[in-house]
């Protein structure tokens, strides 16, 4: 398990980005230059090691608990090596005391520490971690592929339930109002999600115990057979499926837009190792599956890129980097 954004913001913020070692206090963020961005040279050190066979590793803590804020200490790389090379000298109790003393020193001695900003940053980080959990970023490409495959969008019930929870959760957030662009990016995602869920639900049926599937409602045709009427209903079904697929692509763009704004405002290194969210569609006519990188680009990167369902349905989706529907 990776260290969460909230934990990172707590660790770096409360330590004022300085090595906690009493004789060090080195600033762990190197200033940007004319050619390069700022550089982080500090390390999140485990008080009780991440693994049982590491320094001070014998503990009842779970692997998840070992990556929590209470078990982490911010140090420079030199003092990180010192404490791990000398676990007999630097015990769990001693390292916890070092951490407590350093954070007290920050509050008392450093005028640069902004308690209000730190509190707001931790609120944003908490929201972002929750958002990641509900959209299941680790399996995003896997579960969204069912919405983009076989021309008949489907979704696992677990993911659908999470999205329903997210819809309400986003609507009732209390925002700190410190980072406007982050908050607007979340609002943009909320609007896309609202329309995606409403549109998918129009023709969704339960499929087995664990999925919802877009019903082939053209098969419900009744009355004297009329080929033109049947064809018209089939076209309506295809149109609906394409719109759900295009809204799925828009969800992907909206999520990546949030991540961009988090990097701009809150944490420059956020999700750099994981990268952006991708989606996979298929099988196509040649029976292939294709993985796509979809994002808002150029002039699309406004405060609220999604202009609402009517505009998206009739115009906007056809101007995006990828779409599956057909122009009227």
């Amino acid at each position: 398990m990776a260290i969460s954004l909230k934990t990172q913001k707590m660790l770096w913020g409360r330590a004022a980005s300085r090595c906690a070692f009493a004789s060090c206090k080195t600033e762990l963020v190197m200033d940007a230059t004319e050619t390069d961005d700022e550089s982080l040279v500090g390390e999140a050190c485990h008080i009780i090691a991440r693994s049982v066979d590491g320094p001070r590793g014998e503990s009842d803590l779970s692997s998840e608990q070992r990556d929590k804020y209470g078990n982490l200490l911010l140090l420079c790389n030199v003092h990180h090596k010192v404490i791990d090379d000398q676990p007999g000298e630097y015990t769990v109790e001693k390292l916890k005391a070092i951490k407590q003393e350093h954070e007290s020193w920050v509050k008392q001695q450093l005028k640069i520490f902004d308690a209000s900003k730190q509190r707001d940053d931790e609120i944003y980080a908490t929201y972002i971690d929750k958002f990641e959990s509900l959209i299941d970023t680790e399996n995003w490409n896997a579960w969204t592929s069912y919405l983009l495959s076989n021309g008949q969008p489907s979704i696992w019930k677990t993911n659908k339930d999470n999205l329903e929870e997210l819809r309400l959760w986003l609507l009732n957030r209390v925002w700190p109002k410190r980072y406007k662009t982050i908050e607007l990016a979340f609002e943009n995602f909320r609007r896309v999600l609202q329309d995606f869920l409403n549109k998918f639900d129009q023709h969704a049926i339960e499929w087995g115990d664990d999925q919802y599937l877009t019903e082939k409602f053209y098969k419900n045709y009744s009355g004297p057979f009329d080929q033109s009427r049947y064809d018209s209903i089939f076209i309506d079904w295809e149109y609906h499926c394409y719109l759900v697929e295009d809204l799925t692509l828009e969800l992907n763009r909206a999520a990546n837009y949030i991540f961009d704004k988090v990097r701009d405002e809150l944490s420059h290194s956020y999700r750099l190792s994981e990268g952006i969210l991708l989606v996979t569609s298929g099988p196509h006519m040649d029976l292939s599956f294709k993985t796509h990188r979809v994002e808002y680009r150029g002039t699309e990167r406004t405060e609220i890129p999604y202009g609402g369902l009517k505009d998206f349905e009739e115009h906007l989706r056809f101007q995006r980097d990828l779409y599956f529907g057909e122009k009227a």
Side-chain angles (χ1 to χ4, degrees), residues 46-57:
H46 288 79
I47 295 174
I48 294 171
R50 176 173 273 167
S51 60
V52 175
D53 57 354
R56 301 166 298 276

Side-chain angles (χ1 to χ4, degrees), residues 117-134:
K117 180 180 182 300
Q118 179 62 27
R119 182 191 63 243
D120 289 349
D121 284 0
E122 290 179 16
I123 291 173
Y124 283 107
T126 301
Y127 288 173
I128 293 159
D129 287 342
K130 175 75 170 180
F131 174 76
E132 278 201 51
S133 174
L134 288 176

Side-chain angles (χ1 to χ4, degrees), residues 9 16 28 59 67 113 131 172 175 181 208 210 218 225 236 241 266 285 306 317 327:
K9 294 304 293 185
L28 301 176
S59 172
D67 279 338
F113 181 74
F131 174 76
N172 68 13
W175 294 100
T181 59
D210 51 11
Y218 60 89
F225 184 76
D236 288 344
C241 291
L266 194 64
M285 295 297 291
Y306 179 70
R317 59 176 164 156
K327 297 180 181 179

Side-chain angles (χ1 to χ4, degrees), residues 143-155 200 203-207 211-219 237-238 240-242 244-245 248 282-283:
W143 71 260
T144 56
S145 69
Y146 286 88
L147 289 160
L148 302 175
S149 59
N150 299 312
Q152 189 177 8
S154 65
I155 188 171
F200 179 81
H203 298 292
I205 57 173
E206 291 191 7
W207 184 255
Q211 276 187 293
Y212 292 106
L213 179 70
T214 300
E215 181 183 21
K216 292 183 176 180
F217 56 83
Y218 60 89
K219 290 188 174 182
W237 177 79
E238 275 195 323
H240 170 79
C241 291
Y242 283 138
V244 170
E245 290 174 352
T248 301

Side-chain angles (χ1 to χ4, degrees), residues 91-292:
T91 62
V92 170
E93 293 72 21
K94 186 169 185 176
L95 292 179
K96 287 184 175 180
I98 289 174
K99 177 177 180 176
Q100 184 177 5
E101 290 167 6
H102 177 68
E103 292 186 355
S104 296
W105 175 82
V106 168
K107 292 178 181 178
Q108 295 168 11
Q109 303 295 327
L110 291 189
K111 294 181 180 179
I112 62 170
F113 181 74
D114 185 337
S116 176
K117 180 180 182 300
Q118 179 62 27
R119 182 191 63 243
D120 289 349
D121 284 0
E122 290 179 16
I123 291 173
Y124 283 107
T126 301
Y127 288 173
I128 293 159
D129 287 342
K130 175 75 170 180
F131 174 76
E132 278 201 51
S133 174
L134 288 176
I135 68 169
D136 192 7
T137 52
E138 291 187 7
N139 301 294
W140 173 274
N141 195 8
W143 71 260
T144 56
S145 69
Y146 286 88
L147 289 160
L148 302 175
S149 59
N150 299 312
Q152 189 177 8
S154 65
I155 188 171
W156 296 106
K157 287 185 177 180
T158 299
N159 295 112
K160 176 68 157 49
D161 290 345
N162 285 343
L163 293 180
E164 293 288 359
E165 179 183 346
L166 179 59
R167 168 166 38 185
L168 181 59
W169 182 85
L170 286 173
L171 186 62
N172 68 13
R173 282 312 83 207
V174 177
W175 294 100
K177 296 181 172 57
R178 182 177 292 271
Y179 302 123
K180 178 184 177 182
T181 59
I182 291 178
E183 296 178 18
L184 287 171
F186 270 105
E187 171 61 15
N188 180 73
F189 185 94
R190 188 196 66 79
R191 295 183 187 184
V192 180
L193 178 62
Q194 177 82 12
D195 289 340
F196 164 80
L197 289 172
N198 289 344
K199 186 57 61 174
F200 179 81
D201 284 344
Q202 282 183 0
H203 298 292
I205 57 173
E206 291 191 7
W207 184 255
D209 295 331
D210 51 11
Q211 276 187 293
Y212 292 106
L213 179 70
T214 300
E215 181 183 21
K216 292 183 176 180
F217 56 83
Y218 60 89
K219 290 188 174 182
N220 298 331
Y221 181 88
S222 60
F225 184 76
D226 182 325
Q227 185 66 52
S228 63
R229 175 61 179 154
Y230 178 86
D231 291 345
S232 175
I233 297 173
F234 179 80
I235 290 172
D236 288 344
W237 177 79
E238 275 195 323
Y239 182 90
H240 170 79
C241 291
Y242 283 138
L243 181 55
V244 170
E245 290 174 352
D246 286 342
L247 284 166
T248 301
L249 296 178
E250 192 73 1
L251 269 183
N252 193 98
R253 294 184 190 97
N256 282 330
Y257 202 47
I258 289 174
F259 299 159
D260 283 345
K261 296 308 176 184
V262 172
R263 280 188 289 272
D264 288 345
E265 299 268 24
L266 194 64
S267 174
H268 297 327
S269 60
Y270 175 65
R271 290 189 61 83
L272 288 184
S273 59
E274 297 91 339
I276 73 167
L277 299 179
L278 305 173
V279 288
T280 297
S281 65
H284 297 276
M285 295 297 291
D286 59 359
L287 301 182
S288 67
F289 287 83
K290 298 178 182 179
T291 299
H292 312 278

